[in-house]
């Protein structure tokens, strides 16, 4: 739900009014080019790290006084992860709480230089298995190198010609830079809407500070803060990737100039983590092994979801579900925005529009067929003495404070207080409120929104005498009696980050940054952790309810959020540009370790055109998280509202539901290794530089490629096909053989989305259906892809199956099965077989492989000698083998004699939970 759906002009006017300056008065922050620090001691630590002290060379008064003495700690934490931690040597500073993001603690502060009795280091190099830390002493600078190839991954030393200076460390201003090779491709540093695509664009602003600003605002700090980037380089035809995380929750500007990158941070410490790679997939594996593996998602969450702000009563919701059924469009989950609430208050039901007996009857009905129901919760708790949730919150002292009293803000219920999720008592209270609500309404998941945190007002507020809100006009207009807070350095820090793209005060439309959390923690420091801490508390609460696997959708995210929640990209717009940008944002979140992500299909507001909605469902059907959602003020845009969109939905979602076993296996791979579900093409083709900036196509897993139409009025799409053979998933006889990699213009009439599967893969699919529960019971078919016409080739794939109600997603529980599929073709002999782990679960479910399709076989002859598990198949068997000639889009490239065929083996009944082997011979003339 959008709180700041204002025009850009109105936002600017509000900002200027709040900050008390005119647009002409907005000054550019001055640049510091100081002399930095010198290293005055460095020693070994008992745990194998380095501990040093840095002494200020020369003070500068810009942005406040410098901290005179710093502590440096360096450690190779794993063979492919290096940590560099720099903080004040004399005073404890704010860091991301170790209980929120568990990690090793650095040594305690030591102010005595060189007198700890530990071994003094005289060399300037500290080597680990994969990474090397180099330093120079005066002025202090450090470099991180990869041992295997000698590449410099990060170098903080500066040259007088550089546009940046040496290390700066003040109380409210930290600055550090690195040089970069000019041909490095960078990705990450979110959350923002990037108009230039997934690659970071030199001189675009990258500001990190969680903010409720609509995602239609380009190059602006949005809902999440992810101070991590991936660096991909092609050196001599070889690809090398690494990643850099600055674990810091304070607001920051990151300046990327193409050949350098500079961090300007308004607090905290420098806590860098370097991940060696060298593959993109390896980088994300290393990153998520540190920040937390992505949460396992229930099977149904990979189905299609429908939501709208404005389902005024239960009858409307019932009609939506019925209309999807009539239109034969798949639907797994129906959602309520705050329409179900009593006066917009969390954990309540509107007794008139959503009477509990009728709602429970509706839920019994949809639950019986496997459908699910999810509702929204905003963090702001309505200030209302007759509201039990608020009363219990007050009694437990769970709210964020300002000058000793609960900080007063305004969101949808009117005046609210914000729970402090850093407080253990708040976590317990929140869990109890979720338990109480679940007893009232057995929801299947929770949607936590507005948790940046969003506030319709700014400053110190009190409740006015009149009604607030008034009940007329937009609900997001502030009606509290408020005054700006400018009296502390936390509300007006010396350095102004580019908040909201306009250098607004950092307390604008959020919690005052001088407000305090548990143990006196400042909102100034903890602001960007609010949604993250709420996700952790919500996950704990849901997991404790019935022992089931939780599903949480959050708007605000931070480093590690993927361990607890899914994400959607917020309040987008029903435009072609927003459709295109959605792909970039979805791909970025895979790199951030939040693989379950999607955008509002057809746009949140205003009304999309019919053509746009057609094209959007053709993209959105392949987002990891696939949901149609719309604004209260927009016309209805469920997929059945236009017959043409319904047809496109049946086609695209029909394919998604056939791919659910594959998607669920990707969900498992994400959980055990961090591997993104939706990926940029360079993840599978890192040496093919043409993919480095590609943001109009994407992969699901390693081998399924989506090439959608993203422009109005187009019935063709120009798609890049990396080197190899690609097969159309909608027509397996259609082949594109891309020997060196090339662009191909594909037909894409209104109801068609191009989806291709790459060579050397085995894709597990089922028959589809209108609900994932039913689709999951259908027989399997395996699609095996060899390079076109290859006489010797291999293919492989895998499949994970489990009881998706269980909180854990792993093998060995007795409630899961894992299958590796293999295939070979060699001198005319074709073999497809499986190797099963923990087969009991799949056998108990009765799953069988009914059909195997093998693509790209040499088409010079027929087939013979079919065997199943070593037994010849006789003519009286129900098993049938058929051969289809494949068609090449660009025949000329292969010559007249190049042919390949697809062989279908139908009528099988191979138990998924048991090893099988299938073989036959090719090349015998019929």
């Amino acid at each position: 739900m959008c709180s700041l759906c204002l025009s850009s002009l109105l936002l600017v006017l509000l900002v200027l009014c709040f900050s008390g300056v005119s647009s002409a008065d907005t000054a550019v922050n001055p640049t510091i080019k100081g002399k930095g620090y010198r290293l005055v001691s460095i020693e070994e630590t008992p745990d194998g790290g380095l501990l040093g002290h840095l002494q200020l060379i020369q003070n500068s008064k810009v942005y406040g006084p410098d901290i005179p003495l710093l502590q440096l700690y360096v450690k190779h934490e794993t063979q492919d992860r290096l940590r560099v931690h720099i903080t004040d040597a004399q005073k404890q500073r704010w860091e991301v709480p170790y209980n929120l993001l568990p990690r090793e603690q650095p040594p305690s502060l030591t102010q005595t230089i060189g007198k700890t009795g530990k071994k003094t280091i005289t060399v300037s190099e500290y080597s680990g298995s994969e990474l090397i830390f180099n330093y120079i002493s005066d002025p202090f600078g450090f470099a991180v190198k990869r041992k295997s190839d000698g590449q410099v991954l990060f170098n903080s030393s500066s040259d007088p010609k550089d546009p940046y200076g040496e290390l700066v460390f003040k109380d409210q201003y930290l600055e550090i830079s690195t040089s970069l090779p000019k041909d490095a491709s960078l990705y990450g540093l979110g959350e923002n809407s990037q108009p230039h695509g997934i690659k970071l664009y030199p001189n675009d602003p990258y500001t990190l500070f969680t903010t409720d600003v609509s995602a239609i605002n380009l190059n602006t700090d949005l809902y999440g803060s992810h101070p991590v980037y991936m660096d991909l380089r092609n050196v001599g035809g070889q690809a090398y990737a690494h990643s850099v995380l600055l674990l810091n929750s304070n607001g920051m500007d990151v300046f990327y100039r193409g050949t350098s990158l500079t961090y300007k941070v308004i607090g905290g410490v420098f806590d860098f983590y370097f991940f060696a790679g060298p593959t993109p997939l390896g980088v994300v594996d290393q990153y998520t092994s540190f920040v937390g593996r992505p949460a396992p998602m229930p099977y149904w969450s990979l189905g299609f979801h429908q939501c709208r702000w404005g389902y005024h009563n239960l009858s409307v919701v019932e009609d939506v579900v019925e209309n999807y059924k009539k239109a034969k469009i798949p639907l797994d989950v129906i959602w309520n925005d705050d329409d179900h609430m009593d006066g917009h208050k969390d954990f309540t039901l509107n007794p008139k529009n959503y009477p509990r007996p009728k709602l429970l009857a509706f839920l019994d009905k949809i639950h019986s067929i496997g459908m699910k129901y999810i509702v929204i919760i905003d963090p702001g708790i309505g200030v209302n003495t007759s509201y039990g949730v608020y009363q219990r919150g007050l009694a437990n002292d769970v709210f964020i404070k300002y000058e000793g009293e609960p900080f007063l803000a305004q969101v949808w219920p009117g005046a609210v207080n914000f729970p402090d999720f850093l407080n253990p008592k708040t976590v317990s209270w929140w869990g109890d409120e979720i338990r109480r609500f679940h007893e009232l309404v057995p929801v299947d998941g929770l949607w936590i929104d507005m948790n940046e945190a969003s506030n319709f007002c700014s400053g110190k507020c009190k409740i006015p005498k009149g009604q607030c809100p008034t009940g007329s006009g937009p609900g997001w207009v502030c009606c509290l009696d408020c005054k700006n807070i400018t009296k502390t350095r936390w509300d007006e820090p010396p350095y102004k980050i580019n908040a909201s793209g306009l250098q607004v005060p950092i307390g604008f439309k959020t919690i005052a940054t001088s407000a305090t959390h548990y143990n006196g923690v400042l909102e100034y420091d903890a602001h960007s952790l609010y949604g993250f801490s709420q996700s952790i508390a919500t996950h704990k609460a849901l997991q404790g309810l019935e022992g089931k696997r939780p599903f949480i959708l959050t708007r605000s995210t931070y480093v590690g959020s993927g361990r607890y929640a899914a994400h959607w990209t917020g309040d987008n717009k029903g435009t072609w540009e927003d459709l295109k940008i959605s792909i970039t944002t979805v791909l970025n979140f895979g790199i951030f370790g939040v693989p379950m992500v999607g955008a509002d299909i057809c746009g949140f507001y205003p009304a999309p055109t019919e053509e746009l909605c057609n094209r959007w469902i053709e993209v959105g059907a392949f987002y990891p998280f696939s949901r149609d959602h719309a604004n209260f003020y927009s016309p209805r845009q469920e997929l059945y509202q236009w017959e043409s969109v319904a047809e496109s939905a049946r086609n695209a979602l029909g394919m998604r539901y056939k791919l659910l076993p594959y998607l669920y296996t990707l969900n498992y791979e994400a959980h055990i290794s961090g591997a993104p579900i939706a990926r940029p093409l360079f993840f599978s083709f890192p040496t093919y530089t043409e993919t480095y900036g590609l943001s109009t196509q994407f992969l699901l897993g390693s081998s399924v490629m989506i090439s959608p139409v993203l422009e109005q009025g187009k019935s063709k799409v120009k798609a890049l096909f990396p080197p190899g053979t690609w097969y159309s998933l909608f027509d397996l006889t259609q082949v594109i053989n891309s020997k060196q990699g090339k662009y191909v213009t594909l037909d894409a009439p209104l109801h068609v989305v191009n989806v291709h599967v790459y060579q050397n893969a085995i894709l597990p699919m089922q028959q589809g259906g209108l609900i994932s529960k039913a689709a999951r019971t259908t027989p399997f078919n395996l699609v095996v892809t060899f390079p076109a016409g290859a006489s010797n080739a291999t293919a492989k794939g895998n499949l994970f199956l489990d009881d998706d109600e269980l909180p854990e997603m792993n093998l060995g529980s007795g409630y899961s099965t894992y299958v590796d599929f293999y295939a070979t073709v060699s001198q005319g002999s074709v073999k497809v077989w499986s190797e099963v782990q923990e087969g009991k679960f799949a056998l108990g479910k009765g799953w069988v492989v009914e059909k195997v399709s093998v693509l790209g076989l040499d088409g010079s002859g027929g087939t013979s000698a079919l065997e199943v598990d070593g037994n010849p198949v006789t003519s009286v068997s129900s098993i049938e083998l058929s051969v289809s000639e494949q068609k090449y889009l660009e025949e000329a490239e292969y010559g007249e004699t190049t042919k390949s065929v697809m062989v279908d083996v139908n009528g099988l009944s191979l138990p998924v939970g048991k090893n099988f082997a299938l073989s036959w011979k090719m090349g015998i003339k019929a």
Side-chain angles (χ1 to χ4, degrees):
M1 189 176 4
C2 177
S3 67
L4 296 179
C5 303
L6 307 169
S7 70
S8 297
L9 175 61
L10 180 54
L11 180 57
V12 171
L13 291 174
L14 283 168
V15 169
L16 295 177
C17 176
F18 178 81
S19 59
V21 298
S22 69
S23 58
D25 293 328
T26 305
V28 176
N29 288 307
T31 298
I32 298 178
K33 293 199 73 170
K35 296 189 177 180
Y37 290 76
R38 67 171 59 91
L39 182 69
V40 292
S41 74
I42 190 161
E43 303 163 341
E44 280 189 12
T45 60
D47 63 358
L50 298 182
L51 185 66
H53 286 92
L54 307 175
Q55 198 167 57
L56 182 68
I57 295 174
Q58 181 178 313
N59 191 44
S60 161
K61 293 184 178 179
V62 181
Y63 307 135
D66 296 86
I67 292 174
L69 186 67
L70 303 178
Q71 177 172 289
L72 166 72
Y73 174 63
V74 184
K75 187 182 179 187
H76 293 282
E77 293 191 334
T78 68
Q79 66 177 14
D80 43 37
R81 182 173 83 231
L82 171 70
R83 183 184 193 182
V84 178
H85 183 276
I86 302 173
T87 187
D88 188 337
Q90 298 172 304
K91 181 182 175 185
Q92 195 76 35
R93 289 182 63 80
W94 164 258
E95 298 186 44
V96 175
Y98 284 76
N99 63 326
L100 282 190
L101 193 65
R103 59 200 189 279
E104 292 184 29
Q105 294 262 12
S108 57
L109 299 180
T110 57
Q111 300 173 31
T112 307
I113 299 174
K115 294 184 180 179
T116 62
K118 296 164 189 168
K119 183 180 176 183
T120 300
I121 303 297
T122 55
V123 297
S124 60
E125 182 174 290
Y126 170 51
S127 182
S129 299
E130 299 292 339
L131 296 172
I132 300 170
F133 176 82
N134 288 104
Y135 62 89
I136 56 174
S137 297
D138 191 1
F140 172 75
F142 72 89
V144 178
K145 297 180 182 179
R146 190 187 290 111
K147 183 183 283 189
S148 60
D149 53 47
Q151 287 187 52
V152 177
L153 311 185
F154 193 96
N155 186 358
S156 74
S157 297
S158 72
D159 184 273
K161 297 177 291 185
D162 290 329
Y164 53 88
E166 300 292 345
L167 171 72
V168 179
F169 205 117
K170 301 169 183 281
D171 190 27
Q172 288 184 267
Y173 182 79
L174 286 66
E175 181 180 322
I176 195 169
S177 302
T178 180
S179 57
L180 293 166
K182 64 180 180 180
D183 57 350
S185 296
L186 267 61
Y187 311 88
L189 296 177
E191 177 181 8
N192 59 17
S193 294
Q194 298 172 200
H196 296 109
I198 189 171
K199 256 177 77 169
L200 298 188
Y201 195 78
N203 302 315
D204 272 359
Y206 296 97
T207 298
L208 281 65
F209 189 73
T210 61
T211 307
D212 177 11
V213 175
S214 171
I216 67 172
N217 293 280
L218 307 180
N219 289 327
T220 299
D221 47 310
L222 296 179
Y223 314 106
S225 175
H226 294 271
V228 60
Y229 68 85
M230 180 187 292
D231 180 333
L232 177 62
R233 305 173 187 179
N234 190 290
V235 181
Q238 294 297 310
Y240 302 91
H242 69 273
S243 188
V244 179
L245 165 67
L246 172 56
L247 189 60
N248 182 302
S249 63
N250 290 83
M252 69 180 77
D253 289 330
V254 186
F255 294 88
Y256 170 53
R257 304 178 188 87
T259 57
S260 67
L261 185 143
T262 298
Y263 298 90
K264 297 186 177 185
V265 194
I266 60 172
V269 301
F270 287 129
D271 196 3
F272 281 104
Y273 293 84
F274 300 92
F275 304 92
T279 65
L281 212 52
V283 164
V284 180
D285 185 2
Q286 295 155 16
Y287 179 69
T288 57
S289 74
F290 172 62
V291 304
R293 296 298 195 193
M297 295 290 158
Y299 200 89
W300 53 261
S301 68
L302 293 166
F304 183 67
H305 304 243
Q306 178 61 52
C307 185
R308 176 182 170 80
W309 176 25
Y311 287 151
H312 300 292
N313 57 50
L314 180 59
S315 298
V316 177
V317 174
E318 291 172 320
D319 286 345
V320 169
V321 172
E322 186 60 28
N323 285 329
Y324 266 94
K325 182 180 176 182
K326 286 179 181 176
K328 292 183 170 54
I329 300 171
L331 179 65
D332 258 78
V333 190
I334 188 70
W335 294 56
N336 264 128
D337 207 310
D338 73 354
D339 302 291
H340 68 286
M341 295 181 185
D342 183 11
H344 307 284
K345 298 191 297 293
D346 283 347
F347 307 119
T348 63
L349 274 182
N350 184 310
K352 179 181 178 183
N353 296 330
Y354 284 82
R356 183 170 181 258
K358 290 186 177 180
L359 178 59
L360 292 179
F362 168 71
L363 294 185
D364 283 345
K365 180 180 177 182
I366 66 169
H367 284 157
S368 70
I369 58 172
M371 283 188 64
K372 306 296 180 180
Y373 177 61
I374 294 175
V375 299
I376 198 169
I377 295 178
D378 293 336
I381 301 299
V383 175
N384 186 324
T385 54
S386 64
Y387 176 33
V389 177
Y390 172 70
Q391 289 177 320
R392 290 185 290 272
L394 273 184
N396 284 281
D397 194 24
V398 304
F399 297 119
I400 293 170
K401 299 288 202 319
Y402 184 80
E403 295 181 339
E405 297 294 327
F407 175 75
L408 191 69
Q410 181 189 329
V411 201
W412 300 111
V416 298
N417 296 149
F418 288 114
D420 173 12
F421 293 103
L422 300 184
N423 186 341
K425 286 200 300 183
T426 307
V427 175
S428 298
W429 163 82
W430 186 251
D432 184 59
E433 296 302 338
I434 288 176
R435 178 191 58 78
R436 289 168 182 266
F437 181 65
H438 193 267
E439 288 175 358
L440 186 73
V441 184
V443 296
D444 300 291
L446 289 173
W447 171 19
I448 51 177
D449 190 12
M450 311 285 285
N451 51 353
E452 292 73 31
S454 177
N455 181 0
F456 299 167
C457 302
S458 301
K460 183 180 181 181
C461 303
K462 57 184 180 180
I463 299 173
K465 292 181 180 178
Q467 185 179 346
C468 174
T470 61
S472 62
W476 54 80
V477 174
C478 178
C479 57
L480 299 179
D481 183 3
C482 303
K483 293 181 180 179
N484 294 344
I485 304 173
T486 58
K487 61 186 178 183
T488 78
R489 61 193 180 104
W490 312 116
D491 300 295
E492 291 286 335
Y495 176 81
K496 315 294 184 191
I497 63 170
N498 193 33
S500 299
L502 295 162
Q503 286 194 349
V504 304
I506 55 175
F508 179 68
K509 294 297 184 80
T510 187
I511 300 167
T513 43
S514 54
T516 54
H517 293 254
Y518 181 67
N519 276 347
V521 168
L522 285 166
E523 170 69 10
Y524 180 88
D525 293 317
H527 171 85
S528 290
L529 299 176
Y530 193 77
F532 178 45
S533 60
Q534 187 192 18
S535 295
I536 295 172
T538 306
H539 186 273
K540 182 179 180 181
L542 285 181
Q543 200 163 53
L545 279 179
E546 297 176 310
K548 290 184 178 180
R549 189 174 301 174
F551 179 82
I552 300 160
L553 184 72
T554 181
R555 190 168 73 177
S556 186
T557 58
Y558 184 70
V559 173
S561 284
R563 185 178 180 184
Y564 305 98
H567 173 65
W568 93 108
T569 64
D571 300 334
N572 59 1
K573 207 170 183 178
T575 69
W576 292 93
E577 182 180 33
D578 282 66
L579 168 60
K580 189 173 181 180
I581 288 172
S582 75
I583 295 175
T584 291
T585 309
V586 165
L587 296 180
N588 266 329
F589 270 87
I591 293 171
F592 296 152
V594 189
M596 188 62 167
V597 58
D600 285 347
I601 293 170
C602 297
F604 182 63
Y605 72 97
T609 65
E610 183 174 347
E611 181 191 1
L612 174 61
C613 208
N614 269 279
R615 293 309 190 184
W616 208 317
I617 186 55
E618 291 171 355
V619 178
F622 301 100
Y623 293 150
F625 172 64
S626 183
R627 185 184 72 159
D628 182 315
H629 180 42
N631 184 290
F632 184 94
Y633 298 97
S634 299
R636 296 282 291 271
Q637 63 182 47
E638 292 85 6
L639 301 179
Y640 54 77
Q641 296 288 347
W642 304 270
E643 179 48 42
S644 70
V645 176
E647 184 177 344
S648 294
R650 285 189 288 268
N651 289 341
L653 288 173
M655 180 57 72
R656 180 188 182 91
Y657 274 62
K658 291 176 183 177
L659 286 169
L660 283 176
Y662 177 68
L663 289 172
Y664 194 66
T665 302
L666 294 179
N667 174 28
Y668 172 69
E669 291 180 358
H671 179 56
I672 62 170
S673 71
I677 297 173
R679 307 172 191 175
L681 269 65
F682 67 73
F683 266 67
S684 288
F685 304 95
T687 62
Y688 187 42
T689 56
E690 194 71 23
T691 64
Y692 286 13
L694 187 66
S695 306
T696 54
Q697 298 167 250
F698 60 97
L699 293 171
L700 292 176
S702 60
S703 53
V704 174
M705 183 171 72
I706 318 300
S707 305
V709 172
L710 302 173
E711 297 178 71
Q712 185 176 2
K714 301 290 185 181
S715 58
K716 295 181 181 293
V717 61
K718 185 179 179 183
L720 179 66
F721 285 83
T725 307
W726 297 84
Y727 300 91
S728 169
L729 208 48
F730 282 95
D731 182 354
L732 297 175
T733 66
Q734 292 200 5
V735 190
I736 291 173
N737 209 5
S738 177
K739 290 184 178 179
Q740 305 298 322
K742 63 182 179 181
Y743 283 93
V744 177
T745 299
L746 305 170
D747 286 332
L750 190 60
H751 306 304
V752 170
V753 58
N754 282 278
V755 181
H756 290 81
V757 59
Y758 191 55
Q759 66 185 36
N760 308 116
I762 300 180
L763 203 61
M765 300 175 67
Q766 286 176 285
Q767 310 304 307
L770 297 182
I771 298 174
S772 66
K773 182 179 179 180
R776 203 178 188 195
T777 64
T778 61
F780 281 83
N781 60 289
L782 302 180
V783 176
V784 181
T785 60
F786 290 127
S791 57
N792 289 278
T794 62
K796 61 182 179 178
N798 48 31
L799 174 65
F800 178 81
L801 301 158
D802 75 346
D803 179 349
D804 68 318
E805 297 269 285
L806 296 177
E808 297 301 323
M809 189 182 219
N810 53 30
L811 284 171
S813 65
Y815 295 94
S816 57
T817 295
Y818 186 85
V819 186
D820 283 303
F821 297 109
Y822 300 95
T824 58
V825 57
S826 179
Q827 305 302 319
S829 294
V830 181
K831 184 179 179 182
V832 182
W833 73 98
S834 71
E835 294 179 3
V836 179
Q837 299 178 54
E838 307 282 339
K840 181 180 177 182
F841 175 73
L843 289 171
K845 293 292 184 181
W847 283 310
V848 295
V849 175
E850 185 179 74
K851 179 181 177 182
V852 174
S853 300
V854 182
L855 284 55
L857 294 169
D858 183 355
S860 60
T863 62
S864 65
L866 175 63
E867 293 184 358
V868 176
D869 293 331
N871 299 312
V873 175
T874 65
S875 58
V876 296
S877 167
S878 61
I879 298 173
E880 296 180 358
L881 193 148
S882 61
V883 180
S884 305
E885 187 172 333
Q886 297 189 291
K887 307 183 247 342
Y888 290 84
L889 262 183
E890 299 189 354
E891 190 76 34
E893 184 176 342
Y894 320 108
E896 294 286 330
T897 58
T898 303
K899 288 185 177 181
S900 69
V901 297
M902 173 177 72
V903 173
D904 285 324
V905 185
N906 288 288
L908 298 166
S909 186
L910 306 172
V912 171
K914 183 181 176 183
N915 293 353
F916 70 80
L918 189 68
S919 64
W920 67 89
K921 294 188 180 298
M922 299 292 299
I924 308 299
K925 295 289 184 182

